[in-house]
Amino acid sequence: MSDNIAGVIQGAATFVDQIRQSERIPEKYVLVTFSDPVDLEKSRVTNDADEMISWINGLTVSGGDDCPEYSLSGLITGATLSNFNSTIYIYTDAPAKDESRETEVIEILQRKTITPKFRLRNECGGRRKREIGRYKRQSSVYDSIAQATGGDVERFSSSADLADKVQEDLMSELSFIQSNSSQAISQNNLPTSISIIKWKSTHADQLTNIEVDNSVDSLRIEINGTSNSSEIHLRHPNGSLVDSGSRDVTLQYSDNLTIFLIESPSKGLWTLENIVSNPLIINITANSSFDISSSLRDISSEGFFYPLNDNPVSGKEYVIVVLLENLPTNSSISSIVLVDEKGNAVTTTVANLLSVTPNLQYFAKTKIFKQIAGVQIHGQDSTSQQFIRTCKHTINPVDVTLKMKLFIGDLSLSNIEQLEYNITNHGGNNRSLTLDVSDDKGYIVDNRSIHFHISPGESENKLVFIRGTQPSTIVSVTASLKDEETHIVLQKLTQKLTVSSAMRPTCNLTSLGDTCQNQRGNGSNCFDIPWQGSAQVNFSGIRIASLDVSSSSVNLTHGSLWSFYGPLDVTLQGDCCTRSIVLTATDNDGFIAQCRFQLFPEDSSNNIITDSSEPTDKKETVLNLTILGAAIGGALAGIVILTTGVLLKIRHSSLKSSKVKDDTDTQIDISRVEKWDQNKTDHFQAFMLREPIVCSAPAESFFGRVH
């Protein structure tokens, strides 16, 4: 592992050393470390390249013993922190443990036009023989992401080859920056880095305001529906008509489309007037480093924000979160506006500050009743000049919800399993719906299409049956809920499931031991009465990581925990001072099974004398089914510079099997919109973000996990 990370560290440090000698020197370097627990998060900012190199060289590796990692969560972090039209390099020797987030990764990469380049070291899968199959199937998620986003995947068999590729990638980026640092922006191609100011549909004699702030380097105004350019009047902030013969203005016309290209436009309020009766469609964009992106969040009963992956329910309150990139210094934000496809305001809400670091974000709570086409942010720059930025964001409110009940564990090879879906009608009318469920492997065996009627306010559960026939495969199951009359898809969700030949642990009592019950009522002290019971833990293709009991007074005797096949016989010995005892078996993937030893009947009292110094257990929590747990979180660090970046992820320490947490999306406090999956790992991942050279304030980003 250390030889892998050494090559990445050397390449990153060399890059920082070289970039500071170029014409495009980063204005600052930011090191962000985020860990488990979240209160260990730290950020360091410097404009000293030597200090940044020292931080990078200080990264070390330690701990961890399992292979798959939360690489897609790290990729989402990198994409969130990068600008539009970037390139991200991902260096890793580990498959993705969170491949269920594949859709999220593709969405953010496509939305921000980011190209991923995966550089994989084929080492991790060979560390433990039983993980080879898992490595091969999970690494395929990198291929599918690259295919969907125009990226590529390269695999290397040695650390030396990977280190050479790191040097090649980073030096290629450095060469790109240096060769383009002096190039001017061609007026005929304006704008290159596009920020949307607004779009608008207008009628005769209508004025359209165009807010131009200090961050706008050039302006592009497209007017669709004109028969010639004389049908519109474009005016400067001082009220004078724009002269197409001006040195800074280029006028283009073809096929009812008039385009104004304006270099270095005057700051202030421009106006565009439609002087004919024809309706016009206007699109206004700018070459500006300041841009925004948005996301829709749901609100939990505790007030937390969490990602919304389906269509919102009409009339319910949601949260719009707007991320601002390169907001000019001393600017202020006033409101968040939702607009329709014609650019008309649907709702206007006061913007509230959500976070400053690592991302500047504002939010607004709003109810959504009609289709939304975009989100705007309104504010003022340091000169009190009004500005508007818009991002495309389609939101389709509906009156039904579709949820899939959490499927615990993997699909058992060749066994028929059931998938349960819940549908709720939140509207005021009866609905005729169709639930269509399909998969990419042909594993669905029954109820592929279910037709049903549902009344207002009612919920229905529908079962679909699936059987995995090939081990170590990942099947993608997609459920679509559509209206039978309009055939419009109202809700759609996709779930990835793994087919496994492994049998998760089950726990069965083989001997309860009746000593305690037989001694009831004889007045004996509970410490003087020994008790013994036994259980059998069955499993296959996995290993039992730990055996635990709910009482510290009970001793366990069992066979070796190193076997991959059961059964495992367990003997428990103690006294009669405890009413019941729970035995918990946890496998090395975090699945648990439990047996409960009831020493006395539930409806009877224990008449054996107990010692007050040893309190009797008053409450036991029993899980009589196998539940899914995930590895415990670890430390993740990030390094942010300004035009290019690298992300290093290093596993910090090993899993404690006694702690299990759910491997689902974490709810997010309103003080932090994004909380990343945090898992300790001994593997590394590196992300390098290339920002477009034409940006006036480019950004480089380096991320790493530190020890």
Side-chain angles (χ1 to χ4, degrees), residues 601-615:
E602 292 281 6
D603 57 352
S604 67
S605 60
N606 179 2
N607 293 321
I608 300 175
I609 300 173
T610 60
D611 192 318
S612 60
S613 64
E614 182 75 11

Side-chain angles (χ1 to χ4, degrees), residues 557-685:
T557 303
H558 55 80
S560 172
L561 298 183
W562 288 97
S563 174
F564 283 95
Y565 299 94
L568 176 65
D569 293 317
V570 183
T571 300
L572 299 84
Q573 294 177 315
D575 54 47
C576 293
C577 292
T578 303
R579 179 173 291 275
S580 64
I581 296 169
V582 177
L583 170 67
T584 301
T586 307
D587 71 16
N588 52 359
D589 287 327
F591 291 85
I592 71 172
Q594 295 183 318
C595 288
R596 178 171 179 168
F597 294 83
Q598 189 70 41
L599 305 191
F600 301 96
E602 292 281 6
D603 57 352
S604 67
S605 60
N606 179 2
N607 293 321
I608 300 175
I609 300 173
T610 60
D611 192 318
S612 60
S613 64
E614 182 75 11
T616 302
D617 293 345
K618 295 183 178 181
K619 184 177 182 180
E620 300 288 351
T621 301
V622 180
L623 302 179
N624 51 14
L625 55 106
T626 302
I627 66 173
L628 171 64
I632 302 305
L636 175 63
I639 306 170
V640 181
I641 310 181
L642 283 188
T643 292
T644 306
V646 172
L647 179 108
L648 312 175
K649 183 181 175 188
I650 306 165
R651 190 159 195 136
H652 190 59
S653 63
S654 60
L655 165 68
K656 291 184 178 180
S657 60
S658 62
K659 295 184 180 292
V660 178
K661 71 180 181 182
D662 188 15
D663 190 22
T664 56
D665 282 340
T666 306
Q667 287 188 344
I668 304 169
D669 193 300
I670 63 173
S671 64
R672 187 169 301 279
V673 173
E674 303 290 351
K675 177 181 285 185
W676 315 111
D677 294 306
Q678 302 159 329
N679 285 75
K680 302 176 182 175
T681 170
D682 64 352
H683 317 302
F684 78 92
Q685 302 166 355

Side-chain angles (χ1 to χ4, degrees), residues 198-204 206 208 210 220-227 231-232 255-260 272-274 276-285 340-344 392:
K198 64 172 62 173
W199 62 78
K200 193 74 175 176
S201 293
T202 68
H203 297 282
Q206 278 190 308
T208 299
I210 304 173
R220 180 186 181 98
I221 305 172
E222 296 183 358
I223 306 100
N224 201 319
T226 57
S227 57
E231 296 179 352
I232 48 107
D255 297 330
N256 297 321
L257 177 65
T258 299
I259 301 176
F260 285 94
L272 183 67
E273 183 181 4
N274 179 5
V276 296
S277 59
N278 297 332
L280 302 178
I281 299 175
I282 303 169
N283 289 288
I284 306 164
T285 57
D340 61 19
E341 60 182 5
K342 294 184 177 181
N344 299 318
K392 294 182 178 180

Side-chain angles (χ1 to χ4, degrees), residues 352-638:
N352 301 283
L353 180 64
L354 180 60
S355 66
V356 176
T357 58
N359 301 309
L360 178 61
Q361 298 177 107
Y362 281 78
F363 77 95
K365 294 183 179 181
T366 184
K367 293 182 179 180
I368 302 173
F369 294 94
K370 60 178 294 186
Q371 186 180 63
I372 301 300
V375 177
Q376 291 182 344
I377 198 85
H378 291 225
Q380 292 183 339
D381 63 18
S382 58
T383 63
S384 298
Q385 173 58 49
Q386 299 288 329
F387 63 73
I388 294 177
R389 288 296 185 276
T390 306
C391 65
K392 294 182 178 180
H393 188 166
T394 301
I395 303 174
N396 294 308
V398 297
D399 58 7
V400 294
T401 54
L402 172 65
K403 304 294 182 183
M404 179 180 175
K405 182 179 179 181
L406 178 65
F407 188 88
I408 299 171
D410 297 336
L411 294 173
S412 297
L413 180 64
S414 299
N415 291 337
I416 293 181
E417 308 267 13
Q418 67 180 31
L419 308 178
E420 184 174 350
Y421 294 91
N422 174 265
I423 301 95
T424 302
N425 182 0
H426 299 273
N429 300 315
N430 294 323
R431 299 300 298 265
S432 296
L433 305 173
T434 299
L435 176 64
D436 291 321
V437 183
S438 61
D439 71 275
D440 59 352
K441 298 291 190 298
Y443 290 165
I444 300 292
V445 296
D446 196 10
N447 286 354
R448 292 183 177 87
S449 186
I450 306 173
H451 304 271
F452 60 99
H453 303 279
I454 186 169
S455 301
E458 291 190 352
S459 293
E460 291 195 14
N461 294 323
K462 303 298 179 182
L463 297 179
V464 176
F465 298 94
I466 185 171
R467 178 171 57 198
T469 56
Q470 295 294 326
S472 302
T473 57
I474 296 177
V475 55
S476 180
V477 181
T478 299
S480 298
L481 186 66
K482 64 182 180 181
D483 186 281
E484 289 191 350
E485 295 180 1
T486 64
H487 301 289
I488 295 175
V489 175
L490 304 173
Q491 298 286 9
K492 185 176 183 179
L493 58 86
T494 299
Q495 178 72 36
K496 292 183 180 294
L497 301 171
T498 301
V499 180
S500 174
S501 58
M503 184 182 77
R504 296 300 173 183
T506 59
C507 185
N508 302 293
L509 296 179
T510 54
S511 174
L512 178 61
D514 54 6
T515 306
C516 297
Q517 295 193 41
N518 292 340
Q519 296 295 327
R520 288 174 55 202
N522 67 1
S524 300
N525 191 302
C526 63
F527 288 114
D528 297 331
I529 305 175
W531 167 85
Q532 178 174 305
S534 61
Q536 191 173 79
V537 179
N538 291 287
F539 58 95
S540 176
I542 55 173
R543 207 166 57 204
I544 300 300
S546 67
L547 292 171
D548 301 284
V549 289
S550 57
S551 174
S552 60
S553 64
V554 175
N555 295 319
L556 293 180
T557 303
H558 55 80
S560 172
L561 298 183
W562 288 97
S563 174
F564 283 95
Y565 299 94
L568 176 65
D569 293 317
V570 183
T571 300
L572 299 84
Q573 294 177 315
D575 54 47
C576 293
C577 292
T578 303
R579 179 173 291 275
S580 64
I581 296 169
V582 177
L583 170 67
T584 301
T586 307
D587 71 16
N588 52 359
D589 287 327
F591 291 85
I592 71 172
Q594 295 183 318
C595 288
R596 178 171 179 168
F597 294 83
Q598 189 70 41
L599 305 191
F600 301 96
E602 292 281 6
D603 57 352
S604 67
S605 60
N606 179 2
N607 293 321
I608 300 175
I609 300 173
T610 60
D611 192 318
S612 60
S613 64
E614 182 75 11
T616 302
D617 293 345
K618 295 183 178 181
K619 184 177 182 180
E620 300 288 351
T621 301
V622 180
L623 302 179
N624 51 14
L625 55 106
T626 302
I627 66 173
L628 171 64
I632 302 305
L636 175 63

Side-chain angles (χ1 to χ4, degrees), residues 150-163:
D152 60 57
V153 179
E154 294 187 45
R155 291 177 170 82
F156 303 90
S157 58
S158 70
S159 300
D161 291 340
L162 178 61

